[in-house]
Amino acid sequence: MKTSHTMALLLAGLAVAVPARATTFTFDGVASGRSANSLSQAGITFQAGILLPDTNAEGLDVPGTEKWRVDFSAPSVTVDNPGLFGRGITPSGGNALNALFQPVIVLYPGSSGFSRFSATLDNDTFGDANLTVGFYDSNDRLIASVRADQTVPGYVVDSGVLNGVSKVVLPAGGFYDNVTVTAVPEPSTWALAGVGLAALIWQARRKSQA
């Protein structure tokens, strides 16, 4: 009985100490045309994306090395009211992430990556029905891809539960709203949780010996 009580305390302590962190971007509350990164939270950034190969010492493309990279020559990614572009209203009723003309890369700085991503497309029927959102780890390996049907108003892109996602590539042709990133606790957080659990063990043992 005492052992079961101790385990219950440990599990409760772990749940409290290392909760998943969900960060949601509605992109509202600012003027249309504002840089998306001015609304950055938890170090998450939004960058224009381009598919390019590596280059060798002579500056020539290396075949078969194409990957999604930040396009530093492109303007900053903005948040805009789709109505100003003749598109449908956003689910949040205001702005959304503008990916009309170029893919957008969502970058997460955490060393452990994040575990889930979701976004809702604008409420119109323009775009492509056969696009995919790609999810990559810190080594640019494709972990998963999910459909993004831009012809369905309010289509929800949801990665489901994944491990170690550091980069998401959103296809061009639409607006993305209510972007939610669920982060994995960092190793330092787990270390802190370990200290807390050690304290719980000590407390539980003292009570069992009382």
Side-chain angles (χ1 to χ4, degrees):
M1 182 67 69
K2 289 178 180 177
T3 300
S4 298
H5 179 67
T6 301
M7 288 302 297
L9 280 172
L10 294 179
L11 292 173
L14 182 60
V16 170
V18 287
R21 293 193 316 274
T23 302
T24 298
F25 299 84
T26 64
F27 306 109
D28 298 329
V30 297
S32 178
R34 186 84 173 268
S35 168
N37 288 329
S38 68
L39 303 175
S40 179
Q41 304 177 57
I44 298 165
T45 59
F46 305 92
Q47 309 289 346
I50 189 169
L51 187 63
L52 290 175
D54 293 334
T55 56
N56 59 24
E58 287 74 37
L60 301 175
D61 293 346
V62 179
T65 62
E66 291 79 8
K67 66 180 72 171
W68 286 103
R69 308 169 191 270
V70 174
D71 184 358
F72 293 104
S73 67
S76 297
V77 175
T78 59
V79 299
D80 293 286
N81 182 337
L84 300 177
F85 296 79
R87 308 297 291 262
I89 63 172
T90 67
S92 66
N95 296 324
L97 188 69
N98 190 339
L100 267 185
F101 308 113
Q102 188 167 0
V104 172
I105 296 176
V106 184
L107 295 174
Y108 179 72
S111 61
S112 299
F114 60 85
S115 60
R116 191 161 194 164
F117 176 93
S118 65
T120 305
L121 282 159
D122 50 51
N123 287 305
D124 64 44
T125 59
F126 300 112
D128 194 325
N130 298 305
L131 298 174
T132 58
V133 175
F135 301 89
Y136 298 82
D137 66 14
S138 59
N139 295 312
D140 268 314
R141 288 189 293 254
L142 180 65
I143 298 173
S145 59
V146 298
R147 188 180 180 191
D149 188 345
Q150 296 175 344
T151 68
V152 176
Y155 188 91
V156 176
V157 174
D158 192 332
S159 70
V161 178
L162 299 173
N163 290 315
V165 179
S166 293
K167 180 170 74 178
V168 180
V169 179
L170 303 174
F175 290 83
Y176 297 85
D177 199 15
N178 295 339
V179 171
T180 300
V181 175
T182 303
V184 175
E186 291 295 309
S188 58
T189 304
W190 285 104
L192 182 61
V195 173
L197 289 178
L200 284 173
I201 292 172
W202 179 78
Q203 182 182 16
R205 285 180 176 175
R206 283 197 64 187
K207 287 182 178 180
S208 66
Q209 293 169 0

